Amino acid sequence: MTKTNKPMRLIDPSELEICNDPLPATRSAPEGKYTPIFSKLKYGQALKCPPGAAPKIATALKKWLEVNKKPGTVRSALRYAEDGAGRVWLLEPEKKLKVA
């Protein structure tokens, strides 16, 4: 097997310019494809999805909560008993009990 190499592109120094742009405070993060629906989801609500898709959506919701620094717990079901479609629930964060 041979590896195909892309032709090397030489950088022309005359294309470079000096500027005083400040360093960005945060890294640019594009919106995810689920962001519009995740942002509308309230605690106790579930997303209905095709059978078998729940684990992938649950993982995406957990990551979205983490990135957006929102509290919450995520639970999912591959096939919900009522109609066989998958479900992903957003639950309120579990409250920790103080031991006296």
Side-chain angles (χ1 to χ4, degrees):
M1 289 175 48
T2 60
K3 182 178 176 182
T4 58
N5 292 330
K6 294 181 182 179
M8 190 170 116
R9 182 178 172 261
L10 297 176
I11 298 172
D12 182 5
S14 65
E15 292 178 5
L16 303 176
E17 64 181 87
I18 296 173
C19 61
N20 293 316
D21 297 338
L23 183 66
T26 59
R27 196 170 135 189
S28 173
E31 292 284 318
K33 66 180 178 180
Y34 299 119
T35 296
I37 195 154
F38 286 170
S39 60
K40 293 177 190 173
L41 194 61
K42 295 182 177 118
Y43 293 118
Q45 291 183 324
L47 294 170
K48 185 176 179 180
C49 57
K56 184 176 180 181
I57 295 170
T59 301
L61 180 55
K62 287 176 190 174
K63 181 69 176 176
W64 184 84
L65 289 171
E66 181 184 311
V67 166
N68 290 286
K69 295 176 177 53
K70 297 191 181 279
T73 304
V74 177
R75 295 286 181 260
S76 64
L78 280 174
R79 287 182 170 72
Y80 193 63
E82 300 291 320
D83 57 9
R87 297 285 193 286
V88 178
W89 288 270
L90 173 61
L91 305 173
E92 290 190 54
E94 296 175 3
K95 295 181 178 142
K96 298 181 179 178
L97 299 175
K98 292 184 179 179
V99 178

